[in-house]
Amino acid sequence: MIAWLLACSGADGGPARPSGHDPAEHDTGDTGHGHGADGPRPELGFPPELQDLDPAEGRVRVELEAGLATHRVEGVDYAGYAYNGATPGPTLRARVGDTVVVDFRNALDAETTVHWHGVAAPNAMDGATWVQAPIPPLQDYTYELPLDRPGTSWYHPHVDVDHQVDLGLYGVLVVEDPSEPPVDRDLVLVFDTWGEVQVTDDHGLTNPDDQVWTVNGLVDPILRATGGERLRVRLVNASITSYLDLPAPGRLLATDQGLAAAGSTPERLVLAPGDRAELEWLVGDTGWELVTEPYTAAGGATWGHTRRLLSVEVESPAPAPDPADWPFSGAPPSVDPGWTDLTYVFSGGVDGESWLINGEAWPDITLETLALGVEAIVEVRNLSATEHPFHQHGNTFEVLSLDGVAPASRTVEDTYNVPIRSTARLRLVPDNPGDWMVHCHLLQHEEGGMMTVLRVE
Ligand code: C2O
Ligand code: CU
């Protein structure tokens, strides 16, 4: 959450700074976030799981309400929003093949919708205002989602998106595949940023040292683990503007769209706003820290300091278990056929200008069309002065290459960061008909015009 959006900003209307939060305290991973003086570090907690109210097999019925809430981070109260009273909102857990029915109530003081980011929802259930009238305050709406792909997705509004997500409206949607190996614990870690951000008019530049990261709403928590434990950890970057750059994060099992084609242990893992990843953590004798390196949309790695996100502390040390035998497909990347069916050029944002896709700002857009079930190659070129996480609703895409370099194995995503002056080539075989939003997931860019619609028919 960014303080400049909040009613409780400083008396002069300027940004509020969390008390006792001095950037100098962020020098090392050891000092935490000013907690030394304020008391012990918090124990990591997890969002509650939504209760299935439908006894029928294969049907999950849950209740979700968006309402007003106050968020306390480092002793500062932020007036915001929450799903079912908490940020992150409750985790919706289901199995592949289930249909989820969400009885949603809008108890906000504003219109809203719920979008299921990463889910192949039927078009009318997608929550985008192109396909659904916004839900007025005190109205109900029922979403029905057949879940046909396993993985880690999330949900958030699609009205006034940058403010509503920033104010605390987001939660995780886990679709389990029972054929995957069991683990001792399956954990959800949702990351967000709070506090002052130096935002220029065009949001071109942010100082990462001025932000406080939270993990499941907590600053610098401790995750207690038991020696010998195997953890599956699902990471969601719910920040509207901030990137995570995680050195040696562990074994990477999955990106946006379910299991990767091959397991890997990357030297670093960058999660742009909207991105997800799944990791396998094997707990042995000693704990470790999960840190993030400074990274901004202004061009990636930048000035600033390494920040600790959480520490893992081991109780009852024991030898680490072996990695599980995950059913990676081993598929290589598809071959780039060389043609291009559709090009998206991301530009704009200079001197207060709108953020643009193909020279157009939402809602004055040209609707592009792709044929259902037919392979299409989409090229995304970033000609602007900031990075952009390219996001597409409803259908997934395979990454063929970034600046001519193919990934090591087949990589299927719904959100993919395109650095400055870079070109991504993506392969779609759209199987979900409808009108789907395509936008930047830096949500101020999206609200600033960087959104369009892709029709699949
Ligand atoms: Cu999470 Cu339209 O986005
Ligand atoms: Cu952008």
Side-chain angles (χ1 to χ4, degrees), residues 308-388:
R308 185 169 65 200
L309 298 164
L310 62 84
S311 312
V312 178
E313 291 192 0
V314 176
E315 291 165 347
S316 344
D322 290 333
D325 189 14
W326 298 93
F328 300 120
S329 71
S334 296
V335 173
D336 188 336
W339 71 71
T340 304
D341 296 282
L342 182 55
T343 302
Y344 289 123
V345 176
F346 280 49
S347 70
V350 177
D351 294 334
E353 173 194 10
S354 294
W355 294 97
L356 305 169
I357 297 178
N358 293 349
E360 298 171 334
W362 177 266
D364 299 317
I365 54 109
T366 302
L367 189 116
E368 300 286 355
T369 302
L370 291 180
L372 187 66
V374 177
E375 175 186 51
I377 307 299
V378 174
E379 185 165 299
V380 183
R381 301 181 193 156
N382 180 0
L383 298 189
S384 78
T386 82
E387 307 195 355
H388 301 286

Side-chain angles (χ1 to χ4, degrees), residues 93-117:
R93 237 179 229 277
R95 289 176 159 204
V96 68
D98 284 350
T99 294
V100 169
V101 180
V102 180
D103 291 315
F104 174 72
R105 179 165 182 78
N106 179 9
L108 302 174
D109 51 5
E111 297 180 329
T112 194
T113 59
V114 189
H115 166 58
W116 315 92
H117 179 132

Side-chain angles (χ1 to χ4, degrees), residues 117 152 154 235-238 243-244 255-256 270-277 389-390 413-417 441:
H117 179 132
T152 305
W154 61 302
L235 281 55
V236 178
N237 184 357
Y243 286 67
L244 289 163
T255 56
D256 291 341
V270 173
L271 293 180
D275 262 334
R276 289 90 64 215
F390 174 85
E413 308 275 5
D414 54 65
T415 309
Y416 187 68
N417 191 56
H441 220 282

Side-chain angles (χ1 to χ4, degrees), residues 59-322:
R59 267 182 97 74
V60 174
R61 184 165 207 125
V62 298
E63 289 177 348
L64 191 69
E65 179 176 287
L68 305 180
T70 301
H71 306 298
R72 170 159 285 225
V73 176
E74 292 204 311
V76 176
D77 285 337
Y78 297 91
Y81 292 159
Y83 287 120
N84 291 8
T87 296
T91 299
L92 204 173
R93 237 179 229 277
R95 289 176 159 204
V96 68
D98 284 350
T99 294
V100 169
V101 180
V102 180
D103 291 315
F104 174 72
R105 179 165 182 78
N106 179 9
L108 302 174
D109 51 5
E111 297 180 329
T112 194
T113 59
V114 189
H115 166 58
W116 315 92
H117 179 132
V119 175
N123 199 218
M125 295 287 140
D126 187 51
T129 52
W130 185 265
V131 294
Q132 178 192 356
I135 306 161
L138 304 179
Q139 298 287 306
D140 300 331
Y141 192 86
T142 299
Y143 289 96
E144 187 161 331
L145 311 165
L147 300 174
D148 57 10
R149 290 198 297 259
T152 305
S153 298
W154 61 302
Y155 60 91
H156 64 72
H158 229 277
V159 173
D160 190 18
V161 190
D162 56 344
H163 293 97
Q164 291 201 0
V165 175
D166 198 45
L167 290 169
L169 288 179
Y170 53 80
V172 179
L173 195 165
V174 173
V175 183
E176 296 177 346
D177 181 346
S179 73
E180 290 174 2
V183 290
D184 295 302
R185 279 192 290 166
D186 182 322
L187 305 177
V188 161
L189 301 183
V190 191
F191 298 86
D192 194 3
T193 43
W194 305 72
E196 176 180 346
V197 179
Q198 310 266 337
V199 184
T200 61
D201 282 349
D202 64 1
H203 170 55
L205 208 56
T206 59
N207 179 351
D209 270 358
D210 286 335
Q211 299 161 63
V212 178
W213 280 99
T214 53
V215 187
N216 297 347
L218 298 166
V219 179
D220 192 27
I222 295 171
L223 167 60
R224 301 222 182 264
T226 308
E229 219 181 2
R230 188 184 285 132
L231 307 178
R232 179 176 191 161
V233 186
R234 301 172 188 267
L235 281 55
V236 178
N237 184 357
S239 172
I240 66 166
T241 195
S242 300
Y243 286 67
L244 289 163
D245 181 357
L246 311 174
R251 187 178 189 209
L252 181 65
L253 300 178
T255 56
D256 291 341
Q257 288 291 330
L259 276 195
S264 62
T265 46
E267 279 170 29
R268 65 192 282 216
L269 174 65
V270 173
L271 293 180
D275 262 334
R276 289 90 64 215
E278 297 178 26
L279 303 172
E280 182 180 60
W281 285 354
L282 305 169
V283 183
D285 290 326
T286 50
W288 68 91
E289 295 183 337
L290 182 70
V291 303
T292 187
E293 301 290 354
Y295 189 113
T296 78
T302 184
W303 82 91
H305 299 96
T306 304
R307 313 279 293 273
R308 185 169 65 200
L309 298 164
L310 62 84
S311 312
V312 178
E313 291 192 0
V314 176
E315 291 165 347
S316 344
D322 290 333

